[in-house]
Amino acid sequence: MSRPPVGTLIGLPVAAVTLALPAVLDDSALAVYILLGLAAMVTVGVSLLMGYAGQVSLGQGAFYAIGAYTAALLSLGGVPPPVGLVAAPVVAAVFAVVIGTPLLRLRGHHLAFATLAMQLILLSLAGQLDFTGGDIGLQAIPQFGVGSFEMGGAAAYAYLTWGGLALVMLVTHNVITSRPGRALRALATSETAAASSGIPVGRYKLTVFALSAAFAGLAGGIYCFYTGYVAPGSFPVLISIQYIVMAVVGGLGTIWGAVVGATAITLLLQGLNTLATVPGMPTYAPSVLSYAVYALVLIVVVLFLPQGLLPAVTGRLAARRDRTRQPLTEERDGSAAESR
């Protein structure tokens, strides 16, 4: 009698706890919970982009900002919030296609620095343009709602966030288990070998880049409705580095690994923020602690858990199951031999 996969054994309890938590958490904990879900949404796209397409992007925060500004501007202009939320990932993906066409000709650290420069330029423009509110940003963004129904509580936004994350995970699962997903794995291994096998490397790289941007744009759209306020300061450069750290810590090329990495880093950052606000700590303590911990966590993971937290845990669980199953198999084979 076969046992369920390790992923199912882990995923079902996590899903049950996820649905139950909004009903028991207070507002401050719900804020962390929502931000965790939004970070996981973006990190799934980063894991897909880096783990399968082999492309390093330090500009996911830019697509997060594009999604937030798109939904905010449309809602403030009288467009129904659901339309603004749908437009957020679409606009982010279109922008990724436009900017990715020249940028994806670069590789390695050149591509990483180019995407980082893209975010810096975008935030600089957002801080100077009038229709984006300049450095002050956009305020009084309407609550998300459908018709006469409006989301007024944090618990409703928590369910909206994790519903969006479930959609992102489902789309990613369908992509990586399809024929293009197998082509992406070949692309991550060797672009030259993939091209020689007939895989359209440039088109696939641009498609995955746009898809990861759409995930970030969707998260940004939910973020703007939840906070009711967006400004260039809401999307610092550190946030893009944070997504990379989350993907690496959780496990590149895994869907649940992105969620695990986002959870671990978000909770760690909350602990650091609490520590940084202790009386007597300097004002620059939060940023210094964040950069120091990011560096330390990356070094530890690369040295001791090169595949990430989730692959390491599931690998050990699978190995333990194999060890417990082996004596039963040997006993059954022995009994069959005796009967013959």
Side-chain angles (χ1 to χ4, degrees):
M1 188 174 179
S2 61
R3 298 180 181 180
V6 176
T8 302
L9 294 175
I10 297 175
L12 290 179
V14 170
V17 172
T18 299
L19 293 175
L21 279 178
V24 298
L25 295 177
D26 57 21
D27 288 343
S28 60
L30 275 174
V32 177
Y33 190 65
I34 293 171
L35 294 177
L36 190 158
L38 296 176
M41 205 179 302
V42 183
T43 307
V44 170
V46 173
S47 183
L48 176 66
L49 182 64
M50 294 181 61
Y52 286 91
Q55 307 299 312
V56 181
S57 173
L58 292 177
Q60 292 304 107
F63 303 121
Y64 189 53
I66 289 172
Y69 272 102
T70 298
L73 288 170
L74 290 176
S75 298
L76 290 172
V79 177
V83 177
L85 186 59
V86 172
V90 174
V91 173
V94 171
F95 182 82
V97 171
V98 173
I99 200 70
T101 301
L103 287 187
L104 291 180
R105 298 177 183 273
L106 305 174
R107 297 182 182 181
H109 64 277
H110 296 97
L111 175 61
F113 289 139
T115 53
L116 178 62
M118 173 196 67
Q119 180 174 350
L120 293 173
I121 294 171
L122 182 69
L123 293 178
S124 177
L125 289 175
Q128 297 178 14
L129 296 176
D130 293 334
F131 74 92
T132 58
D135 290 329
I136 298 176
L138 301 174
Q139 305 179 27
I141 300 172
Q143 295 284 333
F144 183 81
V146 180
S148 60
F149 171 76
E150 288 188 357
M151 291 185 175
Y157 281 101
Y159 286 118
L160 177 63
T161 299
W162 288 85
L165 177 59
L167 175 63
V168 165
M169 295 174 69
L170 178 62
V171 171
T172 304
H173 174 76
N174 290 336
V175 168
I176 63 179
T177 55
S178 64
R179 182 176 180 181
R182 294 190 293 272
L184 286 176
R185 285 191 286 271
L187 174 62
T189 303
S190 173
E191 289 188 15
T192 303
S196 63
S197 301
I199 297 174
V201 173
R203 188 174 67 190
Y204 273 38
K205 287 167 60 176
L206 186 60
T207 301
V208 175
F209 189 64
L211 185 61
S212 67
F215 293 164
L218 177 61
I222 297 175
Y223 172 81
C224 88
F225 289 118
Y226 170 61
T227 60
Y229 167 77
V230 292
S234 305
F235 314 99
V237 174
L238 183 61
I239 198 171
S240 293
I241 300 174
Q242 175 180 312
Y243 297 140
I244 299 292
V245 175
M246 289 176 176
V248 173
V249 169
L252 285 175
T254 62
I255 300 175
W256 280 101
V259 180
V260 171
T263 302
I265 297 301
T266 300
L267 296 179
L268 179 61
L269 287 178
Q270 290 302 313
L272 290 176
N273 289 335
T274 302
L275 177 62
T277 55
V278 172
M281 295 291 287
T283 56
Y284 54 81
S287 59
V288 172
L289 287 176
S290 297
Y291 281 113
V293 169
Y294 285 157
L296 181 61
V297 168
L298 279 178
I299 292 172
V300 171
V301 169
V302 170
L303 289 178
F304 301 103
L305 299 171
Q307 293 183 334
L309 288 175
L310 186 64
V313 172
T314 54
R316 291 184 181 181
L317 291 176
R320 182 177 298 179
R321 292 178 62 184
D322 292 340
R323 287 195 299 268
T324 57
R325 186 182 302 174
Q326 186 175 0
L328 297 176
T329 304
E330 293 176 352
E331 181 180 352
R332 184 171 60 250
D333 294 342
S335 300
E338 291 177 1
S339 63
R340 288 197 296 268

